[in-house]
Amino acid sequence: MTSKTAPHLTILTGASRGMGLSMARQLLKSGDTLLCISRTSQEALVKEAAAAGATLVQWTHDLADGAALCKRLEAWLAGNSGPWESASLINNAGVIPPIVPLSEAAPDELARALRVGLEAPMQLTSAFLHATASWNGKRKVLNISSGLGRKAMASQVAYCAAKAGMDHFTRCLALEEALKPNGAKVCALAPGVIDTAMQDQLRAADNAAFPDRAGFVNLKSSGSLTSPDAAAARVLAFLARPDFGAQPVADVRE
């Protein structure tokens, strides 16, 4: 971590792999301040932050335990109040539990998927907005959603439910923040289909348990998947748009 205070602060979950790691790398290039929260840290990000003159903080934390993390985040924000030109929270972390029908799902796996994919984003958003309520800079919350939050799919009950819940809590939050003088701009954004480990997991599922498996195999074989770097660039460009938050639920491809 460097001692430089930058005008822009971004808090990013799920920054250790996939699109999250790509977003972290691209955010560091701006030379601003980035707080990454993931189950593991990335030494490569430390080197990239130093090269860019950016401030990097990495916390290792399992988002299935969001309550303890929120207390830490509020305390950290209280001690790092800027002034910032902008402060953004990107809730990117998510997990797909074993791909089986709900009747075969383990209770602990269901609970973990909902805690990481829905409960933690709600908790972190609450902590972020509470801790920054008196800040004068622009505040944004970007929830990384999914097309599966808007389309039902067999053997994906927990993931679909978490993303659908994320969409709707974002709609509710947008109504709340619109009533405040300096309310945060919020959006649940579907980033498109991305070539990540989650796609590997879907393609490796058992045909009998996952009737939509062939469709995900075809996405890969037809070259229809977006690279993590390209997806990250599109998502961050969306976050930077002057009309960010005009639609509380959106798709980067629209």
Side-chain angles (χ1 to χ4, degrees):
M1 176 179 174
T2 72
S3 59
K4 174 177 176 288
T5 300
H8 301 283
L9 166 67
T10 305
I11 302 161
L12 171 65
T13 68
S16 63
R17 63 178 185 169
M19 187 180 73
L21 179 58
S22 292
M23 282 195 288
R25 286 175 165 153
Q26 292 176 33
L27 286 164
L28 288 173
K29 291 178 181 178
S30 67
D32 292 318
T33 297
L34 176 63
L35 167 58
C36 294
I37 306 172
S38 307
R39 293 187 70 184
T40 58
S41 60
Q42 280 283 353
E43 185 62 29
L45 292 180
V46 177
K47 298 177 182 177
E48 293 180 34
T55 297
L56 172 68
V57 183
Q58 293 193 85
W59 293 352
T60 54
H61 192 97
D62 187 345
L63 267 72
D65 179 17
L69 178 60
C70 288
K71 293 179 181 178
R72 185 181 183 186
L73 179 60
E74 285 209 47
W76 188 87
L77 288 169
N80 292 273
S81 57
W84 303 100
E85 185 176 329
S86 72
S88 300
L89 169 65
I90 305 176
N91 286 307
N92 168 69
V95 295
I96 294 180
I99 302 169
V100 294
L102 184 62
S103 59
E104 304 299 323
D108 59 334
E109 295 285 0
L110 293 173
R112 176 171 175 74
L114 291 171
R115 285 173 181 159
V116 174
L118 179 57
E119 184 177 283
M122 292 181 70
Q123 292 171 324
L124 289 172
T125 300
S126 174
F128 172 76
L129 294 175
H130 183 264
T132 62
S134 63
W135 293 15
N136 293 323
K138 296 178 181 179
R139 296 177 301 146
K140 300 179 181 180
V141 176
L142 173 58
N143 291 323
I144 302 300
S145 185
S146 170
L148 290 185
R150 303 158 199 181
K151 174 186 175 182
M153 186 167 287
S155 299
Q156 287 288 292
V157 171
Y159 187 79
C160 288
K163 294 304 185 182
M166 174 177 274
D167 284 353
H168 212 47
F169 106 67
T170 306
R171 293 185 183 98
C172 295
L173 178 61
L175 296 175
E176 296 174 357
E177 292 299 305
L179 299 175
K180 301 176 181 178
N182 188 33
K185 302 300 182 182
V186 302
C187 181
L189 181 68
V193 286
I194 308 165
D195 197 1
T196 65
M198 282 191 177
Q199 287 285 328
D200 293 338
Q201 187 178 349
L202 293 166
R203 291 194 301 272
D206 179 63
N207 277 320
F210 187 35
D212 289 284
R213 175 181 173 274
F216 289 94
V217 172
N218 289 337
L219 285 173
K220 178 69 171 180
S221 61
S222 65
S224 300
L225 297 176
T226 305
S227 72
D229 287 347
R234 291 168 69 181
V235 166
L236 294 177
F238 193 98
L239 177 64
R241 283 169 48 165
D243 64 343
F244 176 85
Q247 296 294 328
V249 176
D251 191 306
V252 76
R253 295 163 292 188
E254 296 174 351

